[in-house]
Amino acid sequence: MSDIDIKPGVKQKTRLQKPKLYKVILINDDYTPRELVVLILTAEFRLDMAQAEVVMMTAHQKGVCVVSVYPKDVAETKATRAIDAAGKLGYPLQFTVEPE
């Protein structure tokens, strides 16, 4: 017999989970100009003009509107950058991030 001991190996499969997704929600306010909201939506969220106007009008009419859905860190970063951009211009535009 051989000095090598052969035992059946057990292979473990590593399953990656998809990251949980979070909604970025635009909150309507009575102070931020519509044109600025559209500009921020196109710049930060990469919406085209038509999509940005639909999102802006939906938030204007209903009070809130989902802008887009991302992994948590991306959603929080985009929301923060959009709030900061409006804040630098003196407007109280707000976004929130919620689990999908």
Side-chain angles (χ1 to χ4, degrees):
M1 289 268 186
S2 171
D3 289 340
I4 300 174
D5 194 16
I6 300 177
K7 293 181 182 177
V10 177
K11 291 186 180 181
Q12 291 183 349
K13 291 186 180 180
T14 304
R15 298 185 81 199
L16 297 177
Q17 292 181 347
K18 291 182 181 179
K20 292 182 180 178
L21 297 177
Y22 287 75
K23 301 180 284 190
V24 177
I25 300 172
L26 168 63
I27 301 172
N28 185 51
D29 66 63
D30 294 332
Y31 304 102
T32 308
R34 294 178 184 184
E35 297 80 16
L36 178 61
V37 175
V38 169
L39 180 67
I40 289 173
L41 291 171
T42 57
E44 186 58 45
F45 298 96
R46 303 290 186 235
L47 301 180
D48 63 33
M49 289 296 284
Q51 291 172 321
E53 288 179 11
V54 168
V55 169
M56 178 272 301
M57 285 305 295
T58 302
H60 178 71
Q61 293 168 350
K62 296 185 178 183
V64 295
C65 183
V66 174
V67 177
S68 195
V69 178
Y70 303 99
K72 185 178 183 180
D73 57 336
V74 175
E76 289 175 342
T77 300
K78 287 187 172 289
T80 300
R81 288 177 52 166
I83 292 168
D84 291 347
K88 286 179 183 176
L89 297 172
Y91 293 102
L93 185 64
Q94 290 296 305
F95 293 84
T96 62
V97 176
E98 297 178 4
E100 186 175 44

